[in-house]
Amino acid sequence: MERGLKVKDVADIFQQGSIWARERVEGPSLAWTLWVTLATFSQICCRLVADTPIKMRHLSTKATFNSHGQDSSYFLGWEEYEKNPYDEVQNPKGIIQMGLAENQLSFDLLESWLEKNPEPAGFKRDGKSIFRELALFQDYHGLPAFKRALVEFMAEIRGNRVSFDPNHMVLTAGATSANETLMFCLAEPGEAFLLPTPYYPGFDRDLKWRTEAEIVPIHCTSSNDFQITETALEAAYHEAQQRNLRVKGVLVTNPSNPLGTTLSRSELNLLISFITTKGIHLISDEIYSGTVFSSPGFVSVMEVLKDRNCDKSEVWNRVHIVCSLSKDLGLPGFRVGAIYSNDDMVVAASTKMSSFGLVSSQTQYLLSALLSDKKFTKNYISENQKRLKKRQNMLVMGLERAGISCLKSNAGLFCWVNMRHLLRSDSFEAEMELWKKIVYDVRLNISPGSSCHCTEPGWFRVCFANMTEETLDLAIQRLKDFVVEHTANGHSKSNNSSKNSNRKLLPKWVLRLSSSDRDHKPDER
Amino acid sequence: MTRPRPRTHESESETRNPTGGGGATAMRLIVPLQGVVQGRGGLILGSLIPCALFYFFQLYLKRHRSPKPGSNPTSPSQSSSNLSDLQRSSSRSNLSSRGSIGPVQVSSRASSIAKPNDSPYYIGLDRVSGDPYDRLDNPNGIIQLGLSENRLCFDLIEKWLSENTKDSVMGRDGGDLSISGIAPYQPSDGLMEFKVAMADFMSQVMGRAVSFDPSQMVLTAGATPALEILCFCLADPGNAFLVPTPYYPGFDRDMRWRTGVDLIPVHCRSTDNFIISITALDQAFNQARKRGIKVRGILISNPSNPVGNLLPRETLYNLLDFAREKNIHIVSDEIFAGSMYGSEEFVSMAEILDMEDIDKNRIHIVYGLSKDLALPGFRVGVIYSFNESVLIAAKKLTRFSSISAPTQRLLISMVSDTRFIQEYIETNKKRIREMHDLFVEGLKQLGIKCAQSCAGLYCWADMSGLISSYSEKGELELWDKLLNIAKINVTPGSACHCIEPGWFRCCFTTLSQEDVVIVIERIRKVAETCKISS
């Protein structure tokens, strides 16, 4: 791979040289000869070095760059899991997948609805086939009925304290695409967005790959439960300036992935004030809004804007919301995401861009029927929250019994777990070591905090909604046994020992991660 | 060590020196120098030092050249200023958006995309959606001939659906109703079962002349993202693809908008029945090189959209040779492969590769179900590539445009029903042929001839006899008359970058047979006024 790049460079130099020479030098002259000599040497060098990757040279830098870094140790976890996945009956000793934020707790509700309402799946409305309409429907404005149902569902999740206009909504193939589209719309290549850490590892791909935008972290720490502070915001803004990056906005996940906490009203106020003074955008990724299961309840940024009477001001147009049905309704396979923006230009541009990721008309129709059933949605939202709460409680209590604490959370499909006391030293190397033990020995695939760009070692994201209760029980049991054995061996060190001064320095592989991915890794968020 | 792979390097030196004389001098230098370098222990020094020198030399040049690339975004449009409105207009909006740094700070990409598109192709489509013809409700509305949609065979699919849907969306093999097969995360590049079904479907559509390997397939939400993803994988911003004209107006959107890649039109003539000539390609390639634009590939549509002809086997071989010689990619858009009505044989790029032992890495095929199965609403596109790296990169990029799982499940059962598909393909071809013959005959009676074609959902009509002046202006005047007086929306050749004025693409598969009569009658009225005035 490395060699391939060199060859590519040489070839590019060579080509540039050829263009340059032809532009300036007519026929053989001293400069021409000099150039030919040098180019020849480079060609020889090229031949000497290269045996393989000639073909790589002809792909775009994006394509070649993307395939780098697959050996990153983070992916070992996924690889191990795929080699040896847990199954209650067939492979009870396998690895349990706790790195996948998927909600399987309320499938039965969806199934029973589909059973009772066979018409939408069969392309029928009131007994008549509407297949013709759907087969040809490729309007990027989306099926009006579906958009209406979706905005009402969004409002319902937000306690009907805010309402949404379907004309300001753009449908996309999943929130992944929604985030990328917003990035395309708001940032030029080389411009930056500020993201509070820890953040969802996929953002490094989704926001940067094709748009060539940059991410600058806002460093949040456990000292205030990872809340966003003004100092942290200013520091990040300053850092971006120092790196010569123009800041175009702030992107937050609310509820936060991986923390599982909602943003408080004061944090939202702080963010709005910040983007007002700096004259930048705010993207609020609210795809977990339907998973808020206990108080304090969920407050959407739209609500705060309304309360501040911002709907007449300029800031109103600079706040954009991303939502999806992947977490709220547990349907990631349906690939439904949406952008909500008050800026007409953003809506117009992203509507056109959505032709690169439209939602199939069949899916839109099916979901419009599902979401229009108010009785169903009401029941689903409350029942789903109840089940999530129970599940989260089960995990938190279980971990507590094992002597492991979690960040107090009220949302999400995961907990942010503190295993700092199990680290050999206060470093990311130690976190990696512990994580490997958990994957290989304890056989749980969880996500290390460093993959989320967390600034403190020892934190892990543990998902709880993609398995049965029995499996979760088993996972907790395994972890408990591990902790007991670990403590008995005296590996752990006192938690409050000197804080590593350079703990902000992430290990190299984290940086590499920003461009890396693995093939078989499910595309979860 | 040096001998076995002279091809790629020769092509390099050839492009450097079109005359070939310089290449020879270079070779004369290479041979003795190689002797020096390889013979002795000074190998490393002998190669490294000049390389480093050369590198710094180039670095120095790059620094001095840098202001030039800065002005680059406008240069591609200048180069193609002899073409249609589309490119000119989009570049204009690009410039203005950069000039005005207003209070709304969206990116320049967004502001140029957000502007209404002033290509007649899109204007026409918009006009129809505002006032669509309906035999009963709106008999004076505009009839749509600008959208290549196939409405001829819905009855077949409806019949299949009524017999099969119960199990297809949710359960596999008619098993228990289960949502766990569609709700959770699925591989973003498509379910393996669907790839297998699609591979077989493609092979069936192409008359079993070629077989496709599901592992070389990446599924996307429509052919539009398939093209864009390929473009992201094959080219860097500022690079270009050569595209034979006339070409589908959507390419400008799909390939250029977000990728920053440029399309260079290569003109084909009616005298060749719009078949691409290698000489024209070569010329375009060299011109691009001269302007400092790196050409990364050729984009062809076969069967061609908008002409509806097929690329002969011979041309495909020539294209392959050309691509090999220049060391570039070929993207072959074969989305109309099954919508054939002529007797000629369709030859897929994949078929050529099946037989020839050639470098397959540069060939990429795009396919989809929007035309051949008439399901554009379902958003199914395919990238079929022989290049491992492209497949890996494309798979990752499908994160942003994957197909919804319930739709995949439904289509798996539909597409793997080989008997149904066989019947569908045959009936579809028959019905397209009937419609084509009816429509072309109608035009013929008005004295309008069509280019010889045998595939697609449209014909390519020569109305140059009706235009007031033999120019783009004359063509657009006629287009305007057809839209506003005759109330039919057709696509003018200029929107497809056709270099000869007076050609129009008319899609006939959205019509019923009765509609055809009305359309011909409406054209007749305009044709008569045109003849009188001239």
Side-chain angles (χ1 to χ4, degrees), chain A residues 309-488:
Chain A
N309 293 320
C310 282
D311 44 347
K312 296 280 180 303
S313 76
E314 200 209 328
V315 189
W316 183 244
N317 284 351
R318 292 209 305 259
V319 176
H320 319 280
I321 293 182
V322 169
C323 52
S324 104
L325 296 181
S326 302
K327 314 296 179 186
D328 287 358
L329 211 54
L331 292 177
F334 282 49
R335 308 308 308 141
V336 179
I339 295 169
Y340 190 87
S341 171
N342 292 311
D343 187 322
D344 292 335
M345 180 107 79
V346 170
V347 171
S350 47
T351 301
K352 288 186 181 174
M353 281 191 207
S354 71
S355 51
F356 299 111
L358 292 177
V359 184
S360 129
S361 59
Q362 182 258 355
T363 304
Q364 288 191 48
Y365 177 63
L366 178 62
L367 288 172
S368 72
L370 181 82
L371 293 180
S372 310
D373 186 342
K374 288 281 166 284
K375 227 175 82 194
F376 167 78
T377 53
K378 194 167 169 238
N379 176 46
Y380 182 92
I381 292 170
S382 66
E383 181 63 31
N384 185 41
Q385 285 169 0
K386 223 180 283 166
R387 293 182 188 183
L388 284 172
K389 184 175 185 174
K390 189 175 158 219
R391 223 16 124 66
Q392 188 254 11
N393 200 38
M394 188 178 152
L395 177 64
V396 172
M397 295 314 229
L399 289 176
E400 206 167 85
R401 280 196 295 277
I404 298 170
S405 65
C406 300
L407 181 75
K408 190 172 179 303
S409 67
N410 61 337
L413 309 172
F414 33 71
C415 285
W416 188 238
V417 179
N418 183 359
M419 299 202 216
R420 217 162 170 176
H421 60 290
L422 300 176
L423 297 185
R424 194 171 40 79
S425 70
D426 199 22
S427 69
F428 285 103
E429 285 74 28
E431 177 180 294
M432 206 64 232
E433 198 179 299
L434 176 65
W435 175 75
K436 276 186 182 162
K437 263 186 210 150
I438 294 175
V439 172
Y440 289 107
D441 304 341
V442 191
R443 280 163 287 123
L444 305 176
N445 182 33
I446 59 177
S447 317
S450 47
S451 69
C452 304
H453 300 258
C454 185
T455 45
E456 297 169 20
W459 292 90
F460 294 84
R461 189 187 81 163
V462 180
C463 298
F464 55 74
N466 60 330
M467 61 195 81
T468 61
E469 243 169 64
E470 291 76 39
T471 313
L472 185 61
D473 246 343
L474 177 69
I476 295 170
Q477 193 53 48
R478 283 186 187 177
L479 205 55
K480 213 172 174 171
D481 295 346
F482 168 72
V483 174
V484 170
E485 193 188 335
H486 194 85
T487 336

Side-chain angles (χ1 to χ4, degrees), chain B residues 91-149:
Chain B
S91 66
R92 225 187 292 129
S93 57
N94 250 336
L95 281 174
S96 59
S97 68
R98 200 167 305 139
S100 62
I101 303 165
V104 194
Q105 315 131 314
V106 298
S107 72
S108 57
R109 285 185 281 227
S111 42
S112 69
I113 290 173
K115 291 235 165 74
N117 200 324
D118 50 4
S119 156
Y121 174 68
Y122 292 105
I123 295 173
L125 294 182
D126 281 351
R127 285 288 303 277
V128 180
S129 61
D131 180 20
Y133 169 82
D134 188 283
R135 213 172 308 153
L136 302 173
D137 297 340
N138 190 14
N140 290 321
I142 304 172
I143 299 180
Q144 177 67 287
L145 299 171
L147 198 59
S148 64
E149 234 171 40

Side-chain angles (χ1 to χ4, degrees), chain B residues 100-411:
Chain B
S100 62
I101 303 165
V104 194
Q105 315 131 314
V106 298
S107 72
S108 57
R109 285 185 281 227
S111 42
S112 69
I113 290 173
K115 291 235 165 74
N117 200 324
D118 50 4
S119 156
Y121 174 68
Y122 292 105
I123 295 173
L125 294 182
D126 281 351
R127 285 288 303 277
V128 180
S129 61
D131 180 20
Y133 169 82
D134 188 283
R135 213 172 308 153
L136 302 173
D137 297 340
N138 190 14
N140 290 321
I142 304 172
I143 299 180
Q144 177 67 287
L145 299 171
L147 198 59
S148 64
E149 234 171 40
N150 184 354
R151 301 187 182 206
L152 303 177
C153 289
F154 280 152
D155 54 327
L156 300 182
I157 301 187
E158 268 170 350
K159 186 165 152 262
W160 183 89
L161 280 175
S162 66
E163 287 160 8
N164 297 281
T165 2
K166 257 182 208 143
D167 312 322
S168 46
V169 177
M170 300 300 148
R172 295 179 210 187
D173 313 321
D176 286 339
L177 197 66
S178 154
I179 201 167
S180 51
I182 51 174
Y185 281 104
Q186 311 290 343
S188 69
D189 57 315
L191 297 166
M192 199 34 162
E193 290 155 277
F194 192 33
K195 287 187 187 179
V196 172
M198 278 304 292
D200 192 61
F201 176 77
M202 283 167 73
S203 157
Q204 202 175 352
V205 154
M206 297 176 192
R208 299 272 177 217
V210 55
S211 63
F212 293 90
D213 178 355
S215 68
Q216 283 169 233
M217 202 174 255
V218 172
L219 302 179
T220 58
T224 305
L227 280 167
E228 197 200 32
I229 286 174
L230 269 180
C231 206
F232 268 115
C233 290
L234 303 179
D236 287 316
N239 295 164
F241 278 86
L242 301 178
V243 194
T245 67
Y247 65 77
Y248 165 56
F251 281 160
D252 286 310
R253 171 197 71 184
D254 302 348
M255 306 282 282
R256 294 170 58 220
W257 264 3
R258 307 199 296 188
T259 59
V261 169
D262 205 20
L263 299 185
I264 299 177
V266 183
H267 296 297
C268 306
R269 310 257 165 195
S270 54
T271 44
D272 309 323
N273 197 32
F274 297 102
I275 297 281
I276 182 73
S277 82
I278 300 298
T279 335
L281 269 181
D282 201 49
Q283 243 168 15
F285 185 88
N286 289 330
Q287 262 168 19
R289 266 299 172 87
K290 247 177 224 162
R291 294 203 314 265
I293 296 172
K294 201 188 246 176
V295 173
R296 295 313 275 265
I298 312 169
L299 169 67
I300 52 169
S301 60
N302 182 31
S304 141
N305 179 6
V307 179
N309 55 8
L310 302 179
L311 289 182
R313 202 177 280 268
E314 197 52 41
T315 312
L316 293 178
Y317 279 119
N318 291 340
L319 279 170
L320 273 174
D321 285 340
F322 180 78
R324 185 163 44 202
E325 188 192 315
K326 304 296 185 196
N327 205 1
I328 55 178
H329 294 271
I330 295 181
V331 176
S332 177
D333 178 357
E334 304 186 351
I335 194 161
F336 288 99
S339 304
M340 301 263 304
Y341 50 80
S343 50
E344 268 179 65
E345 167 211 30
F346 168 73
V347 187
S348 165
M349 210 35 132
E351 192 183 330
I352 301 259
L353 297 182
D354 253 7
M355 291 184 286
E356 290 283 297
D357 183 33
I358 34 177
D359 180 11
K360 299 179 176 185
N361 276 320
R362 58 180 92 252
I363 309 300
H364 318 279
I365 294 169
V366 170
Y367 188 68
L369 294 182
S370 302
K371 311 297 178 187
D372 288 351
L373 208 55
L375 293 175
F378 282 32
R379 312 309 302 147
V380 178
V382 179
I383 296 171
Y384 188 79
S385 173
F386 296 88
N387 190 316
E388 199 59 37
S389 315
V390 168
L391 285 171
I392 291 173
K395 270 179 196 170
K396 290 180 186 168
L397 294 182
T398 54
R399 286 175 67 68
F400 306 110
S401 41
S402 31
I403 315 169
S404 125
T407 304
Q408 292 193 56
R409 292 270 172 230
L410 172 68
L411 288 172

Side-chain angles (χ1 to χ4, degrees), chain A residues 12-20 22-24 32 35-36 38 40-48 51 54-63 66-67 70 100-102 107 110-111 114-115 121-123 129 131-132 134-138 173 176-177 180 184-189 200 205-206 209-212 248 279 281 314 318 327 330-335 343 345-346 348-349 352-353 355-358 360-363 517 523-525, chain B residues 1-2 5 8-9 12 15-17 26 29-30 33-34 37 46-47 50-51 54-55 57-58 61-62 65 68 103-111 113-117 149 151 154-155 157-158 161 165 169-170 177-180 182-185 188 221 224-225 228-229 232-237 253-254 257-258 289-290 292 294 296 327 329 361 374-379 387 389-390 392-393 396-397 399-407 410:
Chain A
D12 280 349
I13 291 163
F14 185 82
Q15 261 171 1
Q16 271 175 12
S18 90
I19 292 158
W20 175 85
R22 207 165 341 124
E23 268 172 15
R24 274 156 238 231
W32 174 256
W35 175 79
V36 168
L38 289 166
T40 310
F41 271 113
S42 82
Q43 213 178 16
I44 293 165
C45 180
C46 177
R47 286 185 190 200
L48 288 174
D51 199 28
I54 292 284
K55 65 183 174 188
M56 294 291 280
R57 185 175 59 189
H58 307 292
L59 302 183
S60 70
T61 31
K62 285 191 190 80
N66 285 347
S67 42
Q70 291 192 355
L100 185 65
E102 203 170 69
F107 277 175
L110 292 166
E111 263 169 12
L114 286 167
E115 215 161 342
F123 298 96
S129 168
F131 171 74
R132 282 164 200 244
L134 294 179
L136 294 178
F137 186 85
Q138 51 172 335
T176 310
S177 169
E180 194 203 32
F184 267 119
C185 287
L186 303 178
E188 310 281 351
Y200 161 60
R205 304 174 291 206
D206 301 350
W209 259 0
R210 303 200 290 192
T211 64
E212 291 171 54
K248 282 310 274 285
H281 295 269
E314 200 209 328
R318 292 209 305 259
K327 314 296 179 186
L331 292 177
F334 282 49
R335 308 308 308 141
D343 187 322
M345 180 107 79
V346 170
K352 288 186 181 174
M353 281 191 207
S355 51
F356 299 111
L358 292 177
S360 129
S361 59
Q362 182 258 355
T363 304
D517 187 15
D523 292 304
E524 68 94 11
R525 330 188 37 217
Chain B
M1 194 163 191
T2 56
R5 45 169 77 249
T8 48
H9 295 280
E12 291 272 345
T15 51
R16 191 175 71 225
N17 276 305
L29 273 162
I30 290 170
L33 285 171
Q34 273 173 343
V37 169
S47 56
C51 265
F54 182 62
Y55 178 75
F57 177 56
Q58 287 295 332
L61 289 178
K62 213 174 177 179
R65 274 169 55 92
K68 234 182 165 184
V104 194
Q105 315 131 314
V106 298
S107 72
S108 57
R109 285 185 281 227
S111 42
I113 290 173
K115 291 235 165 74
N117 200 324
E149 234 171 40
R151 301 187 182 206
F154 280 152
D155 54 327
I157 301 187
E158 268 170 350
L161 280 175
T165 2
V169 177
M170 300 300 148
L177 197 66
S178 154
I179 201 167
S180 51
I182 51 174
Y185 281 104
S188 69
T224 305
E228 197 200 32
I229 286 174
F232 268 115
C233 290
L234 303 179
D236 287 316
R253 171 197 71 184
D254 302 348
W257 264 3
R258 307 199 296 188
R289 266 299 172 87
K290 247 177 224 162
K294 201 188 246 176
R296 295 313 275 265
N327 205 1
H329 294 271
N361 276 320
L375 293 175
F378 282 32
R379 312 309 302 147
N387 190 316
S389 315
V390 168
I392 291 173
K396 290 180 186 168
L397 294 182
R399 286 175 67 68
F400 306 110
S401 41
S402 31
I403 315 169
S404 125
T407 304
L410 172 68

Side-chain angles (χ1 to χ4, degrees), chain B residues 270 274 450-451 460-463 475 491-493 498 500-505:
Chain B
S270 54
F274 297 102
C450 292
W460 185 237
D462 178 10
M463 304 197 194
E475 177 182 291
T491 310
C498 184
E500 297 175 17
W503 291 90
F504 290 85
R505 186 185 80 162

